[in-house]
Amino acid sequence: MNKVITTLSYALAVSATLTFAGTAGAQTSSGNNHSHSHDSKGSVHDGYFDDDQVKARELSDWEGDWQSVYPYLVDGTLDPVMADKAKHGDKSAGDYRAYYDAGYKTDVDRIVINGKKVTFFRGKDSVTGDYETDGHELLTYKKGNRGVRFVFKKSAGDEAAPRFIQFSDHIVAPEKADHYHLYWGNDRAALLNEVTNWPTYYPANLNGKQIAEEMLAH
């Protein structure tokens, strides 16, 4: 068992190194035509909001059973999403696929959040930690838009579970998330500097086609 936990700990650490880069990249890539009107939900989603719009959030906003979207990128299910991005963006579908391959990449294929407990699954192996809120951080990206990382710190649980987790979901105040990007690791500050990898999770009860449709709708 100790060997399993050690192996998972290493895998999480490696995945976390990739993960930390994620949300910022995900947010800077969300749309090319940004609205600067602060009274529309769309503008907040694109990363344009005032400081006083940001409110503390509880872990319950992300409660549920979640699956990584990375396998759907790998098997081609998300190809229509990449093609659609190419129609409206400045890259080819192949370039977008490579960009999101780096962004979505993770071997943590499932996350379950129940109360204070967050369980990370890598295949059949798992680690669990209890997490308490540790505030939030505002980040400014190269494009001029911003993001919020909602931070939680481990208070108990498996040693291999990361000390910190940071959520980014294009929402800045209490609201149930329909998907999210997650960063995890043992260095709170280092996580905030990650901008190239953002493991992304959607509800476990959706299939790949439904997830693709959700992405196309946004």
Side-chain angles (χ1 to χ4, degrees):
M1 182 63 181
N2 288 337
K3 183 177 180 180
V4 170
I5 293 301
T6 300
T7 301
L8 182 58
S9 179
Y10 173 77
L12 287 174
V14 172
S15 180
T17 300
L18 296 171
T19 299
F20 310 152
T23 302
Q27 291 192 336
T28 55
S29 68
S30 60
N32 296 300
N33 300 315
H34 297 302
S35 166
H36 289 266
S37 169
H38 294 287
D39 59 0
S40 70
K41 186 175 181 179
S43 66
V44 172
H45 181 275
D46 290 335
Y48 297 97
F49 52 84
D50 297 320
D51 288 358
D52 60 6
Q53 290 178 266
V54 181
K55 308 295 182 183
R57 297 172 69 186
E58 299 295 330
L59 196 56
S60 56
D61 276 2
W62 300 277
E63 191 164 75
D65 193 340
W66 304 88
Q67 62 177 317
S68 167
V69 300
Y70 185 56
Y72 298 123
L73 182 72
V74 172
D75 71 11
T77 303
L78 300 185
D79 283 356
V81 180
M82 301 302 114
D84 184 70
K85 288 182 178 297
K87 289 180 181 179
H88 302 95
D90 56 0
K91 300 182 181 68
S92 69
D95 287 340
Y96 275 112
R97 191 180 191 284
Y99 175 76
Y100 281 91
D101 185 87
Y104 291 155
K105 192 176 184 67
T106 182
D107 59 1
V108 177
D109 49 20
R110 181 187 177 205
I111 294 176
V112 174
I113 302 173
N114 184 14
K116 296 181 179 180
K117 296 187 180 299
V118 179
T119 302
F120 299 80
F121 290 86
R122 177 176 175 266
K124 294 181 180 180
D125 299 327
S126 67
V127 294
T128 301
D130 291 359
Y131 291 87
E132 304 284 349
T133 184
D134 196 42
H136 62 265
E137 301 289 343
L138 300 178
L139 304 181
T140 299
Y141 307 130
K142 289 182 180 180
K143 290 186 178 181
N145 58 337
R146 299 194 297 166
V148 185
R149 298 277 187 89
F150 292 94
V151 185
F152 294 83
K153 183 177 182 179
K154 185 173 70 174
S155 58
D158 296 330
E159 183 178 354
R163 289 185 61 199
F164 294 97
I165 56 177
Q166 299 181 358
F167 292 88
S168 179
D169 57 5
H170 315 289
I171 299 172
V172 301
E175 182 180 335
K176 292 289 289 186
D178 57 10
H179 76 279
Y180 60 85
H181 314 289
L182 189 68
Y183 308 78
W184 61 85
N186 295 326
D187 187 329
R188 188 184 193 277
L191 297 182
L192 297 174
N193 292 325
E194 292 295 341
V195 293
T196 58
N197 172 255
W198 53 94
T200 301
Y201 295 86
Y202 273 71
N205 62 355
L206 297 180
N207 60 37
K209 183 179 179 181
Q210 289 172 318
I211 290 174
E213 290 171 351
E214 287 284 326
M215 291 181 174
L216 287 168
H218 293 86

